[in-house]
Amino acid sequence: MSEEMTPNRPYLIRAMHEWICDNGLTTHLAVDAHYPGTEVPQEFVQDGQIVLNIAPRAVTAFEAGNEAITFSARFGGVPRTVYVPVEAVMAVFARENGQGMAFEPTEPPPEPPAPPEPDNDDKPSRGSHLKVVK
């Protein structure tokens, strides 16, 4: 009787974050910046990745849910809102000593099919067949 369990990644991220904070260190997340749904300041992305400082003193409105991690932080002095799907998190680690946990890359969900092209049957394909009569 194997019951389907929820993914453990969000729980591990929260546990590592708590452990790193309890040790007085600075929690960083390595994130796949191109994972669908990820909203991070693109000007700080390098090689498709961004490292985010999620230490309590660096962020506000921090929430680590089972689907995503959200918070506000300053980037170059500008406040920004960040949204990171948990599947986009590649690692959670302490800045000072690198201790933490890396995760296997997650395949993004398949893209929904593109909406069908509008039919052009209603529109004449060339100029109007009407003539100007004087």
Side-chain angles (χ1 to χ4, degrees):
M1 295 204 334
S2 72
E3 293 291 320
E4 187 67 30
M5 293 181 69
T6 58
N8 62 7
R9 186 178 298 214
Y11 299 92
L12 295 171
I13 293 168
R14 288 192 292 264
M16 294 304 295
H17 181 41
E18 183 179 347
W19 176 66
I20 292 166
C21 290
D22 285 355
N23 281 281
L25 303 177
T26 309
T27 311
H28 279 194
L29 287 182
V31 174
D32 175 354
H34 299 308
Y35 191 89
T38 304
E39 294 173 24
V40 295
Q42 290 300 311
E43 62 269 28
F44 296 96
V45 172
Q46 294 180 335
D47 300 323
Q49 299 178 20
I50 187 168
V51 175
L52 301 168
N53 178 349
I54 61 166
R57 66 183 170 279
V59 297
T60 57
F62 180 82
E63 226 176 285
N66 288 346
E67 302 297 319
I69 295 163
T70 59
F71 59 89
S72 295
R74 296 179 88 74
F75 293 86
V78 180
R80 303 283 282 273
T81 300
V82 174
Y83 182 92
V84 177
V86 292
E87 294 86 6
V89 175
M90 299 171 0
V92 55
F93 61 95
R95 179 185 67 200
E96 292 81 357
N97 61 17
Q99 287 195 41
M101 179 177 282
F103 299 100
E104 288 294 316
T106 306
E107 282 300 312
E111 298 253 345
E117 290 294 317
D119 275 344
N120 287 333
D121 293 347
D122 335 347
K123 298 179 193 145
S125 56
R126 52 186 174 10
S128 171
H129 65 280
L130 300 176
K131 294 182 187 166
V132 176
V133 178
K134 293 189 181 181

